Amino acid sequence: MKVTPSEAPGVEIYAPDSPEFEAALPGILGTGPEELLRPALPYSVILGNSGKRTIAFFGVRFDMLGPMAKQYSVVHYADTLRNPAKADFQPGSKRFVCAEPEYTSLVIRGNTAPESRGRANLSNLRRMLGIRGSIDCVAFEDGQFAGPDSRDAFGRLAQERDVESELVARVLSLGERPWELERFLCEAVEDADQRARRSAARRLLEGWRQGGATEALERARNWHYRIPLWR
């Protein structure tokens, strides 16, 4: 595993063969079963927040060269933009990210052994001719966004925020017509084009089924949007 130096201010990335990676391991391994995590270390990176602001969102990109010289890439995201005050990637802290996300979850949540799919994916990583990790993007607690952003997360997050805002506004406008509200939410849940719209509608429809229009409207009024981002 090699890494590309970070372009994001106040954020560092460390490869498995670096002194910084080794120095951070005791704290990392203290949150997950060591014997389960050790096989994933060669395919992992550690991020360090060396700045003065909490990081509320980040993406780590892994570029891989397969056995037949075929190139692959994937970006793994961590998102706490809906409640940045509770984000745990605070100044001075470090985060572990594996190219196989089940091992990242093992550290964050202290899960038991990864599912068979995760173990199989780790076997695939062993066959790669080369892997390079890089910081694709970060967003800080004040909404500033930085990084090359190869998958346009900035645009996607802005669009999802607009989609949610439009949905919530429509729900609130139907407050006096509950029969139309239920139909609207049921239709929105089936939206084939907008995943953000489906997801938001599903949460509001759950409220409807638990407490009718009163609960659905209460959830809409208290909707937690992601904070707006800026560059």
Side-chain angles (χ1 to χ4, degrees):
M1 168 73 75
K2 303 298 182 182
V3 299
T4 299
S6 170
E7 297 181 23
V11 190
E12 312 299 333
I13 183 169
Y14 306 117
D17 61 353
S18 68
E20 294 87 353
F21 189 100
E22 288 294 331
L25 275 184
I28 295 294
L29 296 180
T31 61
E34 180 175 350
E35 69 280 4
L36 298 177
L37 193 59
R38 279 287 176 186
L41 296 183
Y43 318 104
S44 306
V45 297
I46 289 178
L47 307 187
N49 184 351
S50 58
K52 297 181 179 180
R53 294 175 293 177
T54 297
I55 296 170
F57 176 92
F58 66 81
V60 175
R61 177 174 172 129
F62 293 95
D63 290 289
M64 294 163 278
L65 183 64
M68 304 299 292
K70 184 175 180 180
Q71 295 184 334
Y72 306 84
S73 67
V74 62
V75 180
H76 297 315
Y77 297 102
D79 181 1
T80 54
L81 289 170
R82 294 189 192 275
N83 200 342
K86 293 188 177 181
D88 61 359
F89 200 1
Q90 299 173 355
S93 64
K94 293 180 171 60
R95 290 289 297 269
F96 174 90
V97 184
C98 181
E100 168 44 49
E102 283 202 29
Y103 289 88
T104 306
S105 296
L106 179 67
V107 170
I108 294 174
R109 303 183 181 90
N111 291 346
T112 56
E115 299 291 337
S116 57
R117 179 179 178 183
R119 296 194 298 272
N121 287 342
L122 196 64
S123 296
N124 291 334
L125 291 174
R126 294 189 184 100
R127 292 195 288 270
M128 293 294 163
L129 300 178
I131 304 177
R132 179 172 291 274
S134 61
I135 297 175
D136 194 67
C137 56
V138 298
F140 299 95
E141 59 186 337
D142 60 0
Q144 183 181 13
F145 189 94
D149 191 20
S150 63
R151 303 291 173 85
D152 191 26
F154 183 88
R156 173 179 59 81
L157 292 168
Q159 180 188 37
E160 290 181 357
R161 196 174 192 277
D162 289 343
V163 167
E164 290 179 7
S165 179
E166 181 182 353
L167 179 85
V168 168
R170 180 59 174 159
V171 167
L172 294 174
S173 74
L174 293 173
E176 301 299 323
R177 293 168 289 178
W179 58 92
E180 292 187 30
L181 173 57
E182 182 182 21
R183 182 177 61 185
F184 170 75
L185 289 174
C186 288
E187 291 175 352
V189 165
E190 301 299 326
D191 191 322
D193 298 322
Q194 293 283 356
R195 184 177 65 177
R197 191 167 185 264
R198 291 197 306 272
S199 178
R202 190 175 297 113
R203 291 170 62 186
L204 294 176
L205 188 58
E206 287 173 357
W208 172 276
R209 289 168 177 166
Q210 291 177 12
T214 300
E215 177 63 23
L217 292 169
E218 183 67 15
R219 291 191 181 196
R221 282 190 289 266
N222 295 297
W223 190 260
H224 285 286
Y225 293 97
R226 291 186 180 99
I227 60 173
L229 302 177
W230 55 276
R231 283 178 166 138

